[in-house]
């Protein structure tokens, strides 16, 4: 009997490997002390409430609820978490980071499941065990996901929701597309949206894209499709919409969160100020790891220095400090600030904004540095091989959510690789398939020696 024919070996062993390796990687990384963004989630968790009042009312709704709610729940069942969170929220110093052990343990399990889902998605698409196992091992080797096991930040839950969704999508595209699968897809998307509201824009597109695909490509009957789309939306109706109505009731804003949009958009539009020469140089300067040093050897400093995050007169700091202050002075509410940025900075120069989005998209795709670099190079040959196995339409539809988020993040933010970590799944599949294709052509020549 083949190894892959045994159900335990096919599903349980890879899961055990993921749990073991990710746990070891988490121990090697060690507990990370909350700083910067993590302290913001600590503050929100310390006073999180479904019915805001007092400090919670003053904090507004700048953060989506799932991660602060998760931390707040952990505080209620683990005194160590409660003590650590309260200490970091008070900025007292001398806090015991080991108090967050149970939070980090759960995040470790979630990350292990995310890597396991990479294996399952590849298995559903290709139905090839060893190829899928190679994808999983490559993701483990890259180590990018494990960085979030002991970091008090939203990525663990956001990526869990998104990756569980695309794994179910792969199952629906190539194995079976019943109502239960669509319900799980909606559940994964709901987790992602309640952790990081930017995924809500993906949902808007999928509400249109999924019916079109199932009607035109899969020739689904309208009545059956209606039930499946209903199952997809049910988790939103049960979990996302009540939170949006809660925000409208208490803050007058019908949304998952509010207040952060103009904050990040002001950083983004500053990059539209770069000259076309700087724009061309940005494709080199933002290459992973070696891009800045390569630019220094090829171009004069004035063509790349403003692209540096830390440069005093750079675009990032200008948008973060000067432009944001101007926008906030001219407009008092989030809606007016977004309108001002859109009508005064984006739409009048929409071509430049779109072109800069392309460059920022590429910068955001360098996940895990050289792993991302190799992954991008392998995308085209990997796609060619995958479409031979799974079909062109299913592969394109499976890849769509990944690259939609890459483009969206670059359109509205400064687009850093951290936002696009789920791309490791796409990269690993592309690299493995490309390596197999190369081996088939090179192997016979090597064997003749």
């Amino acid at each position: 009997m083949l190894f892959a024919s045994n159900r335990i070996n096919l599903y349980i062993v890879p899961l055990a490997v993921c749990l073991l390796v990710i746990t070891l990687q988490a121990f090697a990384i060690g507990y990370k002390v909350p700083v910067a963004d993590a302290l913001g989630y600590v503050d929100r968790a310390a006073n999180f409430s479904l019915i805001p009042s007092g400090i919670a009312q003053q904090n507004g709704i700048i953060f989506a609820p799932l991660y602060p709610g998760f931390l707040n729940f952990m505080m209620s069942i683990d005194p160590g978490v409660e003590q650590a969170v309260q200490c970091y929220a008070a900025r007292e110093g001398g806090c015991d980071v080991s108090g967050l052990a149970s939070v980090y343990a759960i995040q470790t399990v979630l990350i292990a499941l995310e890597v396991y889902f990479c294996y399952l998605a590849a298995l559903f698409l290709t139905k090839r065990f060893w190829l899928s196992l190679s994808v999983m091992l490559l993701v483990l080797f890259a180590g990018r996901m494990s960085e979030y096991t002991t970091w008090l930040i939203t990525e663990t839950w956001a990526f869990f929701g998104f990756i569980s969704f695309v794994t179910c999508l792969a199952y629906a595209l190539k194995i079976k597309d019943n109502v239960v699968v669509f319900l799980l897809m909606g559940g994964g998307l709901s987790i992602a949206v309640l952790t990081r509201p930017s995924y809500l824009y993906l949902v808007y597109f999928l509400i249109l894209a999924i019916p079109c695909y199932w009607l035109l490509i899969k020739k689904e009957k309208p009545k059956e499709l209606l039930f499946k789309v209903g199952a997809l939306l049910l988790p939103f109706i049960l979990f996302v919409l009540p939170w949006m109505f809660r925000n409208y009731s208490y803050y007058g804003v019908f949304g998952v969160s509010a207040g952060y949009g103009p904050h990040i958009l002001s950083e983004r539009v500053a990059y539209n100020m770069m000259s076309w020469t700087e724009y061309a140089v940005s494709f080199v300067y933002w290459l992973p790891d070696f891009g800045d040093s390569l630019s220094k050897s090829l171009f004069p400093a004035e063509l790349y220095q403003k692209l540096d995050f830390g440069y005093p007169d750079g675009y990032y700091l200008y948008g973060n400090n000067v432009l944001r202050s101007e926008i906030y002075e001219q407009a008092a509410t989030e809606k007016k600030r977004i309108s001002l940025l859109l009508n005064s900075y984006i739409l009048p120069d929409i071509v430049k904004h779109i072109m800069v989005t392309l460059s920022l998209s590429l910068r955001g795709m360098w996940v895990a540095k050289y792993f991302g670099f190799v992954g991008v190079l392998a995308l085209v040959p990997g796609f060619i091989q995958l479409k031979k196995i799974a079909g062109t339409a299913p592969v394109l539809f499976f890849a769509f959510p990944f690259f939609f988020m890459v483009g969206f993040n670059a359109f509205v933010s400064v687009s850093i690789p951290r936002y696009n970590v789920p791309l490791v799944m796409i990269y690993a599949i592309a690299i493995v398939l490309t390596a197999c294709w190369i081996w088939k052509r090179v192997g016979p020549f090597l064997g003749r020696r």
Side-chain angles (χ1 to χ4, degrees):
M1 181 179 292
L2 292 175
F3 180 81
S5 66
N6 187 303
R7 188 171 293 274
I8 292 178
N9 291 330
L10 186 62
Y11 294 109
I12 304 302
V13 171
L15 176 59
V17 171
C18 288
L19 289 168
L20 176 61
V21 174
I22 293 296
T23 299
L24 293 174
Q25 290 177 333
F27 273 116
I29 293 170
Y31 293 162
K32 294 179 182 177
V33 175
V35 295
D37 290 352
L39 287 176
Y41 295 112
V42 162
D43 295 339
R44 185 71 175 90
N47 56 72
F48 179 82
S49 175
L50 294 175
I51 303 175
S53 62
I55 295 176
Q57 180 76 28
Q58 296 171 14
N59 281 347
I61 52 173
I62 195 169
F63 293 126
L66 195 147
Y67 195 68
F70 162 67
L71 295 179
N72 187 267
F73 171 75
M74 294 302 297
M75 291 171 63
S76 69
I77 64 173
D78 187 339
V81 175
E82 181 179 21
Q83 183 177 357
V85 169
Q86 296 291 1
C87 180
Y88 285 114
R91 309 294 195 272
E92 295 175 350
C95 303
D96 184 8
V97 70
S98 65
L100 300 171
S102 60
V103 172
Y104 290 154
I106 291 174
Q107 293 186 172
T108 298
V109 173
L110 290 176
I111 293 294
L113 288 173
E114 291 168 27
V115 178
Y116 178 63
F117 290 161
C118 293
Y119 160 78
L120 290 180
L123 186 65
F124 297 153
L125 287 172
T126 67
K127 299 181 179 66
R128 299 183 182 184
F129 171 74
W130 290 109
L131 187 150
S132 304
L133 187 65
S134 299
V135 168
M136 184 192 82
L137 294 175
L138 191 57
V139 173
L140 288 172
F141 176 77
R144 189 65 177 90
M145 286 188 176
S146 61
E147 296 179 16
Y148 301 103
T149 53
T150 57
W151 193 358
L152 215 63
I153 203 164
T154 59
E155 267 70 7
T156 302
W157 279 97
F159 296 156
F160 176 79
F162 177 78
I163 292 176
S164 63
F165 156 70
V166 294
T167 302
C168 292
L169 178 63
Y171 188 87
L173 289 168
K174 296 300 299 178
I175 307 297
K176 192 174 183 180
D177 59 348
N178 56 30
V179 171
V180 175
V181 177
F182 274 80
L183 186 65
L184 292 174
M185 287 165 59
L189 283 172
S190 296
I191 291 173
V193 169
L194 289 172
T195 309
R196 184 168 291 171
S198 57
Y199 284 107
L200 188 59
Y201 295 90
L202 172 62
V203 175
Y204 294 151
F205 274 86
L206 288 173
I207 290 174
L208 297 175
I210 285 178
C212 289
Y213 184 90
W214 257 257
L215 284 172
L216 300 176
I217 304 299
K218 303 202 77 170
K219 308 300 181 182
E220 183 71 88
K221 295 179 180 179
K223 184 178 178 180
E224 294 178 0
L225 179 60
L226 185 63
F227 281 107
K228 291 174 181 178
V229 174
L232 177 73
L233 296 178
L234 184 59
F236 291 91
I237 296 171
L238 294 176
F239 303 110
V240 179
L241 279 179
W243 181 260
M244 296 171 72
F245 278 113
R246 174 262 194 194
N247 289 339
Y248 182 77
S249 175
Y250 288 103
Y251 301 102
V253 176
F254 187 69
V256 178
S257 67
Y260 200 53
H263 182 91
I264 61 171
L265 194 57
S266 57
E267 295 174 349
R268 166 61 184 88
V269 297
Y271 282 88
N272 294 348
M273 299 171 60
M274 70 171 73
S275 68
W276 287 112
T277 306
E278 288 176 309
Y279 173 75
V281 170
S282 71
F283 286 92
V284 177
Y285 185 80
W286 286 332
L287 286 170
D289 198 43
F290 64 90
D292 52 352
S293 57
L294 180 61
S295 296
K296 291 177 182 178
S297 64
L298 295 176
F299 313 112
E302 60 269 19
L303 294 182
Y304 62 78
Q305 57 190 6
K306 288 186 178 181
L307 303 175
D308 191 328
F309 272 126
Y311 186 69
D313 296 323
Y315 297 115
Y316 175 75
L317 290 181
Y318 176 82
N320 202 291
N321 299 322
V322 180
L323 183 57
R324 182 183 298 149
S325 297
E326 293 177 356
I327 296 298
Y328 278 50
E329 286 177 4
Q330 295 176 48
T333 66
E334 179 187 27
K335 185 177 181 180
K336 291 181 179 179
R337 289 165 183 166
I338 293 288
S339 178
L340 179 61
L341 285 164
L342 186 64
N343 294 316
S344 299
Y345 293 89
I346 297 178
L347 292 180
D349 202 9
I350 187 63
V351 173
K352 183 71 169 291
H353 191 86
I354 292 173
M355 294 298 290
V356 173
T357 294
L358 295 176
S359 177
L360 288 171
S361 293
L362 193 59
R363 178 171 79 171
M365 291 174 64
W366 303 129
V367 177
K369 295 186 177 180
Y370 288 104
F371 179 81
F373 184 74
V374 175
V376 169
L377 294 178
L379 281 178
V380 172
F383 166 76
I384 293 172
Q385 299 308 307
L386 186 58
K387 78 180 185 66
K388 293 177 181 178
I389 299 172
T392 301
V395 171
L396 288 175
F397 199 80
F398 172 76
F400 167 77
F402 292 90
F403 293 101
F404 174 87
M405 292 309 302
V406 169
F408 180 80
N409 288 330
F411 193 85
V412 302
S413 76
V414 295
S415 183
I416 57 178
R418 195 183 90 194
Y419 301 160
N420 301 313
V421 168
L423 279 174
V424 296
M425 178 192 290
I426 294 288
Y427 291 159
I429 294 173
I431 291 171
V432 170
L433 286 170
T434 301
C436 290
W437 176 76
I438 293 173
W439 176 252
K440 286 180 181 179
R441 280 148 183 78
V442 176
F445 293 100
L446 296 177
R448 294 173 186 172
R449 292 186 175 185

